[in-house]
Amino acid sequence: MEAAELGVGVIGAGWMGHVHARAYARLPHHYPGLGVRPRLVAVADPAPGQLDDFAARFGPVRRYGDWRELLADPEVRAVSVTAPNALHREIGAAVAEAGRDLWIEKPVGLTAADARAVAEAVARAGVRAAVGFNYRTFPAVARARALLREGAIGAPTHANCHLLTDYAAHPMAPLNWRFTREHGGSGVLGDLASHGVDLVRFLLGDLAAVVAETAVFTPRRPLPGAADTSHYAVAAGEARTGRVENEDYVCALLRTVTGVPVTFEASRAAVGEQNAYGFSVHGTRGLLAWDFRRPGELAVSTGDSYLNQPVTRWTAAPGDGDYGRFHPGAGNAMSYDDSKVAEAADFLAADRSPATLADAVAAAETLEALATSAASGSWTAV
């Protein structure tokens, strides 16, 4: 039976908007039995140059300078929201209220109240919604979750999760929206730590309490020029500076509702680290560990020898998550873009389970607890 066509629109024509557009285009390749075939029909962005570049890459889509015009387009039935964080609440709620299905990037606003507002709008409208916590879609992560639920490493005793990168390590990185409270919220907390919190919850369950410390390593940065649109940009020469308003770094101890302690660290200014994201979970009988830079591998130690127990480097294979949708045999790593294709399938297929607005709310509540703890210096309940 031929798949039903679904008109989709993208709000936010930057890099992440491109990622979503590519994911929609690739869905029929990897998920031919999905039951729906997305067709990109519209894009919205206030920057004409961004719209022109988007259309040049993805074909003759309708271009709107105002996202409200995109929601009024009768052909648009599902919407990706890839706009800056500060716009998530208004746009996400409006998408749901317009009766459109919603795929929205994390962290779904600047606060837990923002995430809750979008979640409530989705619930009222009865539309389908998914949140961009894509690291949980990697087959090695799916394998780790399955092994934990099987008890392969015994009862979890302690864990670590880290997200370290260097896009803000250079002191001349311009003061773009990511460094302001108004537009970038809590800095590294909403940017990277939200992914880490979701991974911890995905693997080990809900969190009960946190204690944290945060830091700003570069308190002032050069004001951006017209060309400084990328958050990897570096300003040239002398420039006026402005104050960095949010966090570069967070370290914390998290405690799950089952009592598992998790050491947690995230930095956007870690010199020498590029997308060094990963986790390790120790149990009474073994170990699981994953590094995003080697996404198809999972370190696994299981057995009953305890002392000097070896670690096996397992590689993703068909049967692990959605690996078989992309590769016929083990050893071929899936990419970041592949993970977003799997996420798009989760969003559009009725029989799949995406990360939800409830997950976004839970992550946002944890981020607020981290910020509260860093200010008070004490344990804070989630």
Side-chain angles (χ1 to χ4, degrees):
M1 184 169 59
E2 188 173 345
E5 187 173 89
L6 181 74
V8 299
V10 175
I11 298 177
W15 175 76
M16 185 57 76
H18 292 195
V19 171
H20 279 230
R22 289 195 296 269
Y24 287 129
R26 292 177 57 196
L27 265 182
H29 307 162
H30 301 283
Y31 299 84
L34 197 64
V36 62
R37 189 181 186 93
R39 181 171 67 90
L40 186 63
V41 298
V43 61
D45 197 287
Q50 295 274 70
L51 292 175
D52 292 343
D53 179 58
F54 191 97
R57 294 169 187 257
F58 300 107
V61 296
R62 288 189 284 281
R63 289 170 269 183
Y64 298 111
D66 188 328
W67 56 266
R68 296 168 187 84
E69 296 175 329
L70 182 143
L71 291 186
D73 188 323
E75 284 196 62
V76 174
R77 305 310 308 163
V79 177
S80 283
V81 176
T82 60
N85 301 349
L87 301 175
H88 285 184
R89 177 175 182 163
E90 181 183 12
I91 298 176
V95 170
E97 289 162 1
R100 273 47 170 190
D101 291 337
L102 171 67
W103 180 12
I104 187 168
E105 276 304 317
K106 58 85 202 171
V108 191
L110 302 181
T111 65
D114 288 349
R116 280 192 290 269
V118 179
E120 290 164 3
V122 165
R124 285 194 303 270
V127 298
R128 186 167 177 82
V131 178
F133 289 127
N134 62 294
Y135 294 106
R136 58 163 66 188
T137 69
F138 279 93
V141 177
R143 174 73 168 179
R145 189 172 192 251
L147 289 172
L148 285 167
R149 276 148 182 74
E150 293 167 9
I153 64 168
T157 54
H158 59 102
N160 166 270
C161 183
H162 57 274
L163 300 98
L164 308 175
T165 197
D166 64 355
Y167 75 76
H170 201 294
M172 294 299 286
L175 189 75
N176 61 35
W177 64 268
R178 291 178 180 274
F179 298 102
T180 69
R181 289 283 176 190
E182 180 181 2
H183 300 291
S186 55
V188 74
L189 291 172
D191 185 17
L192 297 179
S194 60
H195 273 303
V197 167
D198 183 69
L199 273 176
V200 172
R201 290 186 62 251
F202 185 68
L203 294 169
L204 297 171
D206 285 334
L207 297 169
V210 302
V211 63
E213 184 168 335
T214 60
V216 178
F217 299 141
T218 304
R220 298 190 67 85
R221 294 186 177 276
L223 297 178
D228 296 327
T229 57
S230 168
H231 63 287
Y232 289 94
V234 176
E238 295 295 323
R240 292 175 55 217
T241 65
R243 184 174 68 87
V244 173
E245 299 174 352
N246 53 28
E247 297 84 355
D248 287 328
Y249 174 78
V250 59
C251 62
L253 183 63
L254 319 177
R255 187 170 65 243
T256 72
V257 295
T258 57
V260 179
V262 182
T263 55
F264 185 83
E265 186 180 31
S267 177
R268 64 187 182 186
V271 176
E273 302 280 14
Q274 297 85 35
N275 300 314
Y277 309 152
F279 60 78
S280 60
V281 181
H282 288 82
T284 53
R285 298 179 61 248
L287 159 73
L288 301 172
W290 180 71
D291 184 336
F292 168 64
R293 295 166 299 181
R294 302 179 70 90
E297 297 182 0
L298 183 69
V300 180
S301 178
T302 61
D304 54 11
S305 58
Y306 301 97
L307 185 64
N308 299 324
Q309 183 164 286
V311 176
T312 299
R313 187 67 58 178
W314 166 91
T315 55
D320 297 309
D322 279 9
Y323 184 90
R325 299 281 186 174
F326 297 85
H327 300 295
N332 293 293
M334 283 176 61
S335 68
Y336 179 92
D337 269 34
D338 291 339
S339 76
K340 300 302 279 191
V341 177
E343 194 175 274
D346 287 344
F347 168 45
L348 293 179
D351 61 345
R352 293 172 65 91
S353 300
T356 66
L357 267 300
D359 293 312
V361 170
E365 289 173 345
T366 302
L367 300 180
E368 290 193 350
L370 289 168
T372 299
S373 174
S376 68
S378 61
W379 279 92
T380 300
V382 177

